[in-house]
């Protein structure tokens, strides 16, 4: 499958997406609690580490607090497990499942070498979750859930996130200086 | 029962992310480059609906709110770090899961990097807590409570503003 085969155009318009995400949040707040994703990366880390090296895992109060009881059978973890399931079914239903290795914008800028994209995806992923845990949330926990609750912490995190992401993306893809 | 509810809500969230283009590297990257603002319109409208819905529920006493603590220098630094990772990968922690399920290998690798980043943070946390989180702590502050007013009085007009902005914001140079 070639890279150009990646379908990009959204199936539903932005307002339907916004309404859908907003409704998921409202139902979650009504029945359980606001939505969040990034904590579950720590929970999975904690449970896996606890399986292999229980002593090491128990030493970290942060891991122990996040993965309370070292179990994955929680509402929060199942919410996060649901995300790929829903996305998988949606991509199958709309025939947009694709194993393209390097995304189009990346190829235009950095070429089609898979190794480069994968190495930077790993480093980027590291930075992403390090930042999210530092800030106590990510796009869903802070930007969607937090801002909707008028939380000052979430407004500050989201503002800093967007400034940083826009500056980085425009620098990375060489947009500064060309109009 | 609660596990099933989590799975169903998460699956709905993942399907919407996939169908609306939020899990697409191209859509996210071009939004951050300010070339295609579709994802910005999506986020603004989600926040608009969320603000109004969550605070109307709260006014009826039906909302389970959970506000995160404000710690000033730390949150700013964290947001700046997160933004770099967001721009480099083109994914956030949630959309990476959706993109991985669509078959994108770079999203799988982003998740692996993320698991390591989260683990490293977990073991650094005692030090981070000592140096960065120990001052500028204000607890779970919200805008409406600092003004001493009902949330929906502020959230409904602000939510309306977000929806209006989402509608007015140009899509920008549409991505082919």
């Amino acid at each position: 499958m070639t890279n150009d085969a990646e379908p990009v155009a959204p199936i539903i318009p932005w307002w339907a997406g916004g309404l859908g995400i907003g409704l998921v949040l409202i139902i979650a707040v009504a029945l359980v609690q606001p939505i969040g994703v990034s904590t579950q990366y720590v929970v999975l880390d904690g449970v896996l580490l606890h399986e292999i090296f229980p002593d090491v895992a128990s030493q970290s109060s942060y891991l122990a607090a996040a993965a309370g009881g070292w179990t994955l059978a929680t509402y929060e973890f199942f919410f996060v497990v649901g995300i790929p399931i829903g996305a998988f079914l949606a991509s199958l239903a709309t025939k947009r499942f694709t194993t393209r290795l390097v995304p189009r914008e990346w190829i235009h800028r950095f070429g089609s070498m898979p190794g480069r994209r994968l190495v930077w995806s790993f480093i980027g992923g590291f930075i992403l979750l390090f930042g999210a845990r530092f800030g106590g949330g990510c796009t869903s926990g802070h930007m969607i859930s937090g801002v909707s609750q008028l939380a000052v912490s979430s407004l500050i995190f989201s503002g800093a996130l967007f400034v940083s992401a826009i500056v980085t993306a425009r620098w990375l893809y060489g947009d500064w200086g060309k109009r | 029962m609660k596990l099933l509810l989590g799975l169903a809500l998460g699956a709905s969230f993942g399907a919407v992310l996939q169908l609306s283009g939020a899990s697409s590297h191209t859509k996210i990257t071009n939004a951050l480059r300010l070339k295609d603002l579709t994802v910005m319109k999506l986020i603004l409208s989600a926040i608009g609906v969320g603000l109004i819905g969550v605070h109307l529920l709260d006014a009826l006493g039906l909302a389970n709110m959970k506000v995160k603590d404000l710690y000033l220098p730390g949150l700013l630094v964290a947001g700046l770090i997160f933004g770099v990772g967001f721009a480099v990968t083109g994914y956030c922690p949630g959309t990476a899961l959706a993109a991985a399920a669509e078959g994108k290998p770079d999203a799988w690798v982003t998740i692996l990097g993320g698991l390591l980043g989260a683990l490293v943070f977990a073991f650094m946390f005692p030090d981070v807590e000592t140096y960065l989180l120990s001052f500028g702590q204000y607890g779970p502050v919200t805008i409406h409570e600092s003004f001493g007013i009902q949330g929906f009085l502020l959230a409904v007009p602000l939510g309306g503003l977000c929806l209006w902005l989402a509608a007015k914001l140009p899509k920008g140079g549409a991505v082919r």
Side-chain angles (χ1 to χ4, degrees):
Chain A
M1 183 174 291
T2 66
N3 279 295
D4 294 325
E6 184 190 354
V8 163
I11 296 287
I12 58 175
W14 59 267
W15 56 265
L19 189 63
I21 295 172
L23 285 177
V24 168
L25 172 67
I26 293 168
I27 296 171
V29 167
L31 297 180
V32 193
Q33 61 176 32
I35 63 174
V37 174
S38 69
T39 310
Q40 302 313 311
Y41 280 74
V42 183
V43 171
L44 183 58
D45 276 336
V47 171
L48 288 178
L49 191 66
H50 189 76
E51 279 296 313
I52 313 168
F53 304 111
D55 299 342
V56 183
S58 310
Q59 270 169 26
S60 164
S61 56
Y62 187 85
L63 279 185
W70 310 112
T71 175
L72 299 178
T74 63
Y75 162 83
E76 290 89 344
F77 194 79
F78 271 59
F79 175 83
V80 170
V81 169
I83 295 174
I85 296 175
F88 176 69
L89 295 178
S91 71
L92 278 192
T94 56
K95 299 193 171 57
R96 296 183 320 149
F97 185 90
T98 158
T99 51
R100 71 100 181 95
L101 205 67
V102 189
R104 198 179 69 192
E105 269 53 40
W106 185 276
I107 293 179
H108 287 167
R109 178 72 176 156
F110 302 108
S112 55
M113 279 104 69
R116 195 184 220 180
R117 170 63 188 161
L118 293 182
V119 167
W120 280 103
S121 296
F122 188 85
I123 297 172
F126 184 102
I127 299 171
L128 189 68
L129 263 299
F130 188 90
R133 290 332 300 152
F134 198 156
C138 60
T139 327
S140 39
H142 264 310
M143 204 180 326
I144 306 290
S145 297
V147 173
S148 292
Q149 293 176 87
L150 291 171
V152 180
S153 55
S154 301
L155 281 162
I156 290 173
F157 182 84
S158 306
L161 174 176
F162 262 119
V163 169
S164 160
I166 288 170
V167 169
T168 309
R170 290 185 63 88
W171 169 76
L172 200 61
Y173 289 91
D175 295 327
W176 297 118
K178 75 173 183 214
R179 275 277 120 185
Chain B
M1 196 57 219
K2 240 183 177 176
L3 298 186
L4 272 183
L5 173 69
L7 207 60
L9 273 176
S12 318
F13 187 47
V16 173
L17 291 177
Q18 208 288 325
L19 296 173
S20 61
S23 60
S24 155
H25 175 276
T26 297
K27 287 308 244 189
I28 293 288
T29 300
N30 286 314
L32 296 178
R33 294 170 71 186
L34 307 178
K35 290 178 75 179
D36 172 6
L37 302 182
T38 315
V39 172
M40 303 294 191
K41 292 162 83 76
L42 172 76
I43 293 173
L44 269 174
S45 58
I47 293 173
V49 172
L51 269 170
I52 296 171
V54 165
H55 281 276
L56 286 181
L57 276 182
D58 194 38
L60 297 171
L62 299 174
N64 301 289
M65 308 288 260
K66 199 169 157 191
V67 173
K68 294 175 195 290
D69 285 349
L70 174 62
Y71 43 99
L72 249 188
L75 263 178
L76 270 176
V77 176
L80 294 176
I81 296 173
F82 184 97
V84 172
F86 192 20
V88 169
T89 58
Y91 305 115
C92 63
T95 63
L97 298 169
E102 291 162 26
K104 318 272 172 65
D106 59 332
W108 283 97
V109 175
T110 299
I111 295 170
L112 291 179
L115 285 170
L116 186 66
L119 189 66
V120 168
F121 181 79
F123 280 94
M124 280 177 60
F125 184 71
D127 298 315
V128 176
E129 195 177 29
T130 311
Y131 292 109
L132 264 168
L133 310 185
S134 57
F135 59 100
Q137 271 274 20
Y138 300 93
V141 191
T142 59
I143 302 177
H144 55 284
E145 278 164 7
S146 9
F147 287 119
I149 57 171
Q150 280 270 14
F152 72 92
L153 293 177
L154 194 57
V156 172
L158 265 182
L161 182 69
C162 286
L163 294 176
W164 180 80
L165 271 176
K168 283 289 158 193
L169 203 66
K171 275 195 177 152
V175 169
R176 292 77 46 197

